[in-house]
Amino acid sequence: MPIYDRRPPSEYEVVDRWDGGIGWLAHPNETGRRTSHAVVGENGGVWLIDPIDAPRIDEELSTLGDVHGVIVCSNYHVRDADVFAARHDVPVYCPPWLSRATSQLDTVIELETSTVGTSGFELRRCHPFPGWSEAVAYRGSDETLYVPDVLGTAPLFTVGEERLGMYLLCRFTPPRAVFEELSPQRILVGHGQGIFENASPALRTALDGARHRLPAALRSNGWGQIRALTAALGDRS
């Protein structure tokens, strides 16, 4: 089973569904579990976050409303942002600190750390160590948190009984400050299924025990994480 399946997808699987959005896997069988999201904005309209295209996905999106914009939150999640933007004639939003992503995008509106359009999401820079940068998105109105890479629920991220795990390299210096004062009721991730019950305790457990569980993560996920990192550096994950 590949870490990231680069072939054109033939199907998709909805793994997250709630009143205000969905999350889907364009390649349900890949180990990396790259998850795309569509979230209804505070004033209506649909906002796509780190999306990967799939056959007939627009039919699914139409049940939520019209697409108003695409948000890229990771240097390695350009994915199919330009494809969706062109098809729906909407802009791509990407914060300026994601230089690798902005260099790969055809249409970019650079943002400071502020609310993205009418989505209601505020972007926070996550910079756990040199060479790693992403944007964590949080919306206070419904306490929804989106984390692209540093946290995930895919098996490559979690160890033991963790519901939410930290990327292996980030366990050395967990970026706790990025998540200060956040008590999400819903956590969406770029790799894996979202958390919709007891989300805040899952976040605290992931942050507080990240370094303590580093040896276990090295044993169980070390080789897989090296493969995933190599695949991400070589393409768009």
Side-chain angles (χ1 to χ4, degrees):
M1 185 182 299
I3 293 288
Y4 302 126
D5 191 341
R6 304 302 186 186
R7 297 171 299 178
S10 59
E11 59 179 340
Y12 69 88
E13 177 187 349
V14 175
V15 292
D16 297 331
R17 190 184 295 276
W18 69 102
D19 288 344
I22 63 167
W24 73 92
L25 298 175
H27 296 280
N29 296 320
E30 67 178 14
T31 304
R33 308 284 288 176
R34 292 173 297 165
T35 314
S36 310
H37 291 92
V39 183
V40 177
E42 287 185 330
N43 298 313
V46 177
W47 292 80
L48 307 181
I49 305 177
D50 294 349
I52 299 177
D53 200 10
R56 298 175 299 281
I57 191 62
D58 281 336
E59 297 175 16
E60 189 84 51
L61 299 178
S62 67
T63 66
L64 300 174
D66 296 330
V67 175
H68 282 197
V70 182
I71 308 172
V72 173
C73 289
S74 167
N75 266 327
Y76 303 98
H77 286 193
V78 169
R79 297 177 172 176
D80 292 320
D82 282 328
V83 173
F84 281 98
R87 196 158 69 217
H88 293 276
D89 192 23
V90 297
V92 175
Y93 294 78
C94 183
W97 63 79
L98 299 182
S99 57
R100 184 179 190 269
T102 57
S103 70
Q104 295 177 346
L105 288 164
D106 293 331
T107 304
V108 176
I109 295 180
E110 294 188 350
L111 302 173
E112 299 299 331
T113 305
S114 59
T115 302
V116 182
T118 59
S119 70
F121 282 101
E122 174 187 312
L123 302 183
R124 297 183 173 200
R125 184 176 186 179
C126 182
H127 186 57
F129 54 82
W132 182 299
S133 192
E134 63 184 75
V136 169
Y138 185 72
R139 186 164 69 183
S141 60
D142 61 356
E143 298 177 310
T144 295
L145 173 66
Y146 172 73
V147 187
D149 280 326
V150 71
L151 297 172
T153 62
L156 283 173
F157 287 76
T158 59
V159 294
E161 297 182 357
E162 287 182 339
R163 299 169 59 216
L164 181 68
M166 185 167 290
Y167 199 91
L168 181 61
L169 293 177
C170 298
R171 288 179 184 266
F172 290 93
T173 55
R176 296 185 180 91
V178 178
F179 302 95
E180 284 183 355
E181 302 178 358
L182 300 185
S183 298
Q185 297 301 307
R186 176 186 302 112
I187 300 176
L188 310 175
V189 293
H191 297 271
Q193 192 170 0
I195 296 178
F196 294 83
E197 295 184 3
N198 300 315
S200 288
L203 177 61
R204 298 274 76 81
T205 298
L207 295 172
D208 294 342
R211 186 178 295 174
H212 174 73
R213 290 185 287 272
L214 174 59
L218 280 168
R219 289 193 300 271
S220 62
N221 299 337
W223 175 239
Q225 287 268 326
I226 291 172
R227 290 176 60 211
L229 179 61
T230 302
L233 291 173
D235 209 326
R236 304 175 179 187
S237 65

